[in-house]
Amino acid sequence: MDVNRVKQILSSSANIEVKYHGASVWIDKLNEDGTTVTVNLRGPLDEQTTVPISDLVEG
């Protein structure tokens, strides 16, 4: 995924599925460095972590 697509997803009102290493995540914010995002893993733990944008896959 690229930074422009992350910005589109963040501004969209649609529920767009994004995966990080096979796990479904919710993008919380684009970090200031422009190469990472803060995500929440979807599920019971609701774990928050910072990951590289290049490791995200849509759908």
Side-chain angles (χ1 to χ4, degrees):
M1 187 172 293
D2 64 33
V3 69
N4 289 326
R5 185 60 183 141
V6 168
K7 289 176 182 179
Q8 291 172 352
I9 290 171
L10 285 170
S11 65
S12 173
S13 60
N15 186 6
I16 300 168
E17 184 175 10
V18 177
K19 294 192 175 187
Y20 172 68
H21 293 286
S24 187
V25 297
W26 181 262
I27 301 174
D28 285 328
K29 68 175 183 175
L30 175 63
N31 296 322
E32 289 182 16
D33 63 13
T35 62
T36 61
V37 291
T38 301
V39 299
N40 276 322
L41 297 176
R42 293 186 186 202
L45 298 179
D46 199 33
E47 179 184 342
Q48 190 176 59
T49 188
T50 298
V51 300
I53 292 172
S54 60
D55 287 352
L56 297 177
V57 177
E58 187 174 346

